[in-house]
Amino acid sequence: MKIKFANGTEFNYLNAIEAEEYYNGASRRTLTFECSADTISVDMLNAVLSDEANTASIKLLGEPVPVSVVHDATYASEVDRRPLGKVTEEVKDEADVVGHYVTPESIYDDYVLKLKCGIESVLVYSETPESTAVYADKLIFKLGKPTYIEHQLKKLGL
């Protein structure tokens, strides 16, 4: 899965969670992303997240999925070639629909507050009686939405 910012910066992410959290005296919507530690440098990501114009609209792109193919396949006869109608073939195997894929996308607007950006150690496997817990370094960043009052104050220039 990929994340694409307004300035064109694009990179892969592992997980994205939208939630509501209490931050800076208000309850607000947040988007938290988890990426591989080597996906992008923390300094580069910090520079992207520091500019509100880059995070005003964030596009999340999923993995391409096969779609049904519609074509004219039924004719009155081989001689007059008048189509009797459209035929829809259901996708049964990805090999059946070469080139017929759609990439799902979600757009998140106005997540302009940088709440967190850095490398964290994340639990991968819990501790068991036979083995110790396994941790991995992940790049974690969190963005927040301004509240209604914060929007109004910004419009007033305050």
Side-chain angles (χ1 to χ4, degrees):
M1 298 177 288
K2 289 185 181 247
I3 181 171
K4 187 173 185 178
F5 293 97
N7 69 344
T9 302
E10 186 176 305
F11 56 87
N12 292 329
Y13 70 93
L14 302 172
N15 196 12
I17 299 170
E18 185 179 30
E20 189 160 328
E21 293 183 27
Y22 189 79
Y23 180 81
N24 201 19
S27 185
R28 63 185 75 238
R29 300 297 299 170
T30 62
L31 262 177
T32 305
F33 293 91
E34 181 179 312
C35 309
S36 297
D38 60 350
T39 299
I40 187 172
S41 73
V42 176
D43 293 334
M44 183 182 280
L45 179 60
N46 208 10
V48 171
L49 299 179
S50 294
D51 186 0
E52 284 189 11
N54 294 337
T55 59
S57 182
I58 300 170
K59 187 182 288 189
L60 303 183
L61 304 169
E63 297 298 323
V65 293
V67 295
S68 297
V69 180
V70 178
H71 60 88
D72 295 324
T74 308
Y75 301 99
S77 71
E78 283 299 314
V79 177
D80 69 15
R81 304 285 290 171
R82 288 179 296 158
L84 293 175
K86 301 264 186 206
V87 174
T88 302
E89 295 177 4
E90 289 300 318
V91 175
K92 305 223 182 330
D93 185 14
E94 288 184 23
D96 295 339
V97 291
V98 175
H100 297 283
Y101 290 87
V102 65
T103 302
E105 64 180 48
S106 301
I107 298 174
Y108 291 87
D109 291 329
D110 208 26
Y111 282 87
V112 296
L113 303 174
K114 180 177 62 171
L115 307 180
K116 181 194 290 189
C117 179
I119 303 286
E120 291 184 10
S121 189
V122 176
L123 179 67
V124 177
Y125 297 109
S126 299
E127 182 177 354
T128 66
E130 293 83 31
S131 65
T132 60
V134 177
Y135 292 88
D137 287 340
K138 302 284 184 182
L139 175 63
I140 308 287
F141 64 98
K142 184 184 291 188
L143 302 170
K145 264 189 166 182
T147 63
Y148 176 77
I149 297 296
E150 291 167 337
H151 272 295
Q152 297 307 312
L153 291 172
K154 186 174 182 179
K155 284 181 183 178
L156 294 172
L158 301 174

